[in-house]
Amino acid sequence: MSQPNPLYAERRARLASMLGEGGIAIIPTAPARPRNRDTDYLYRHDSYFYYLTGFTEPGACLVVSHDGRSTLFCQPKDLEREIWDGYRLGPAAAPAALGVDAAHSAAELDTLLPRLLENRSSVWYPFAIHHGLAARVEGWLNAVRARVRYGALCPAQQHDLCTPLDEMRLIKDAHEQDIMRRAGAISAQAHIRAMQRSARMLRAGEDVREYHLDAELLHAFREAGSQYPAYGSIVAAGANACVLHYQADAAPVRSGELVLIDAGCELDGYASDITRTFPADGRFTGPQRALYDLVLASQDAAVAATRAGARFNDPHDATVAVLAQGMLDLGLLDRNKVGTAQDVIDKRAYFQFYMHRTGHWLGMDVHDCGSYVEPSEVGQVSERRDPLSGEIITNRPSRVLRPGMVLTIEPGIYVRPAEGVPAQFHNIGIRIEDDAIVTDTGCELVTRGVPVKADEIEALMR
Ligand code: GLY
Ligand code: MN
Ligand code: MN
């Protein structure tokens, strides 16, 4: 049997050192989830559990105590079940395979957990992740409380384990960065395939549907060994691109229209997240190109603002500054009504066409964990009135970027028909999204295997 990768034991040891004297942590994996009748959804492990074990079977739970000792509960060997559902590692093999100190059948959780919790000062588990876990922990603690007359001590404190684990997960180590680079490269090739399929079919006079392009993505993901899409792929033809969470469906992909594809594979537990917007037949029209070049310029500004020491909000602010000026220059917004680019920003007038943020953390989860506020500055609270809603918004300084953080950079413009909006831009939706690893001097874009420049997209679709 191969040796366990030591990085999981190192992560468990780091976590243990954060639990405090007498602390103990409980980290279940995700349950199998029924889809309908006796068929389950494709199984996906829990990200926190996987981060600490590298183990992908359902029905498992890890316990880590402050002294570094780790105990795994996992599905017992069961030859009958393994004929139906596949191989199980089993508790006997788990210590050697995963580097945990002890392993038991998951059937023993309710008996053994109270013993592991006894005489501890605090118990940590992820809050609001696992349905019913808090009640289960209470049950285990009640079993400890039933023994206090015999001298047992029951943990008096409960803490959210997400807090220390989120901080650990926010900085991706070399192993994680390597997987994310590979995931980004696979997804980039998938986007190229989809673009080329669109142009090829339209040139051949075929009836192209969004699902044809979705099929190219899925093929490329699986062909390269990725397990599944990291999220439901968006393949949006024409006006569908203005629906932010549109899913690939059956709408026709027509010459003269744009297609927005937001899709990324998950590779070995890590997500990638790419958006490209391209002309269905391989040639941008004038108005499409004008909007496209504006979104790309705003992404360039965001990329330039992404480096260690900058704030998480800096790329967003850089994007908005470019979009605000561009919206005035292209006549999407009327200077006579809204004023200067600074007025567009101050009044949040750009929101009509750009209504999401410019990025999010990326990692095992596509919208990955990690605080967006700088932890050392949470007390620095300021207030402002939102110019559109009139609400009072509480601000805290946004996160200082550090090497190894990974975030998306994804500006866009979505033009729904409205009075005063030039008709040539109606129903155009454009987003350009890349995945960036923060470095000391800037950022590494791991998804540029698929080009972003309009000329380069036209060239690869020719
Ligand atoms: N694909 C999800 C996102 O871009 O946030
Ligand atoms: Mn994204
Ligand atoms: Mn995306």
Side-chain angles (χ1 to χ4, degrees):
M1 182 176 291
S2 62
Q3 292 292 309
N5 188 331
L7 73 86
Y8 298 106
E10 286 161 17
R11 290 176 188 163
R12 292 193 295 268
R14 269 184 68 202
L15 175 66
S17 72
M18 297 183 205
L19 299 178
E21 188 63 28
I24 189 163
I26 302 169
I27 310 102
T29 194
R33 292 179 213 277
R35 185 170 188 271
N36 49 30
R37 208 172 285 263
D38 59 356
T39 304
D40 287 345
Y41 281 104
L42 198 59
Y43 181 69
R44 167 55 157 77
H45 53 263
D46 171 77
S47 296
Y48 292 112
F49 176 86
Y50 182 76
Y51 183 70
L52 297 168
T53 60
F55 188 48
T56 55
E57 282 185 27
C61 182
L62 176 71
V63 179
V64 176
S65 60
H66 75 105
D67 58 4
R69 188 175 166 78
S70 56
T71 306
L72 183 79
F73 293 84
C74 61
Q75 299 180 114
K77 293 298 283 180
D78 180 335
L79 292 185
E80 161 86 20
R81 283 316 320 163
E82 290 181 54
I83 287 170
W84 290 90
D85 301 330
Y87 173 79
R88 293 178 175 188
L89 179 63
L98 303 174
V100 293
D101 297 299
H104 306 279
S105 163
E108 293 185 273
L109 255 180
D110 287 335
T111 322
L112 295 182
L113 241 289
R115 287 195 218 159
L116 288 170
L117 293 176
E118 195 170 304
N119 300 323
R120 308 281 176 173
S121 55
S122 59
V123 55
W124 298 70
Y125 59 93
F127 288 2
I129 301 277
H130 301 279
H131 185 70
L133 179 60
R136 242 181 136 188
V137 170
E138 273 311 316
W140 295 326
L141 292 175
N142 282 340
V144 179
R145 289 182 189 115
R147 291 173 42 77
V148 292
R149 258 175 283 163
Y150 304 97
L153 294 179
C154 182
Q157 293 168 1
Q158 296 185 24
H159 301 289
D160 187 0
L161 187 66
C162 295
T163 308
L165 279 180
D166 288 355
E167 283 301 298
M168 286 174 67
R169 282 176 53 184
L170 186 52
I171 307 281
K172 276 68 180 175
D173 60 29
H175 169 84
E176 297 179 291
Q177 290 182 27
D178 174 57
I179 299 172
M180 294 187 78
R181 279 188 195 96
R182 287 189 283 126
I186 293 169
S187 299
Q189 285 308 308
H191 277 259
I192 289 176
R193 258 188 94 113
M195 289 177 188
Q196 292 181 333
R197 173 93 189 261
S198 177
R200 197 168 59 239
M201 284 183 75
L202 285 173
R203 271 200 298 271
E206 290 169 355
D207 178 27
V208 191
R209 301 284 165 159
E210 291 165 340
Y211 55 73
H212 289 122
L213 309 188
D214 192 29
E216 292 298 314
L217 300 166
L218 288 168
H219 179 96
F221 291 170
R222 290 296 279 148
E223 184 72 21
S226 121
Q227 287 77 13
Y228 16 69
Y231 51 91
S233 301
I234 297 171
V235 179
N240 292 335
C242 295
V243 180
L244 294 181
H245 289 164
Y246 185 84
Q247 298 268 301
D249 201 349
V253 174
R254 297 193 182 93
S255 263
E257 292 187 339
L258 294 176
V259 183
L260 182 156
I261 295 185
D262 182 345
C265 71
E266 180 174 311
L267 179 69
D268 298 343
Y270 287 81
S272 54
D273 186 4
I274 302 183
T275 308
R276 289 292 182 267
T277 310
F278 59 90
D281 56 10
R283 289 294 301 271
F284 284 94
T285 66
Q288 289 167 352
R289 174 79 190 243
L291 285 186
Y292 188 90
D293 286 346
L294 172 58
V295 175
L296 185 56
S298 78
Q299 199 208 28
D300 288 344
V303 170
T306 303
R307 82 186 90 80
R311 300 268 177 177
F312 176 81
N313 277 349
D314 290 347
H316 179 71
D317 293 343
T319 286
V320 165
V322 173
L323 291 182
Q325 186 61 54
M327 287 173 191
L328 293 172
D329 294 345
L330 293 175
L332 283 174
L333 292 172
D334 184 346
R335 271 178 226 284
N336 297 321
K337 290 197 180 127
V338 288
T340 65
Q342 191 58 50
D343 295 327
V344 171
I345 296 167
D346 293 343
K347 295 177 190 166
R348 221 150 59 80
Y350 60 84
F351 195 76
Q352 180 180 356
F353 307 108
Y354 183 47
M355 59 298 276
H356 59 76
R357 303 284 301 179
T358 303
H360 52 81
W361 304 130
L362 181 73
M364 286 187 281
D365 301 336
V366 65
H367 292 176
D368 207 35
C369 59
S371 172
Y372 288 94
V373 169
E374 179 57 30
S376 60
E377 297 173 345
V378 280
Q380 294 181 30
V381 180
S382 59
E383 287 190 340
R384 64 180 173 81
R385 186 177 291 280
D386 183 80
L388 295 181
S389 67
E391 262 179 284
I392 300 290
I393 309 278
T394 304
N395 278 328
R396 293 185 169 82
S398 95
R399 189 89 198 209
V400 176
L401 299 179
R402 298 193 199 293
M405 290 179 173
V406 182
L407 64 156
T408 65
I409 305 179
E410 49 177 306
I413 281 193
Y414 314 90
V415 186
R416 287 178 174 266
E419 211 184 306
V421 175
Q424 59 179 348
F425 298 129
H426 285 186
N427 293 314
I428 295 178
I430 294 168
R431 179 163 65 255
I432 304 171
E433 175 173 28
D434 283 287
D435 303 345
I437 302 178
V438 178
T439 65
D440 279 318
T441 51
C443 65
E444 175 189 346
L445 299 176
V446 298
T447 41
R448 282 292 173 89
V450 52
V452 278
K453 291 201 175 92
D455 290 343
E456 289 174 11
I457 288 175
E458 289 187 343
L460 76 84
M461 293 181 73
R462 229 166 260 144

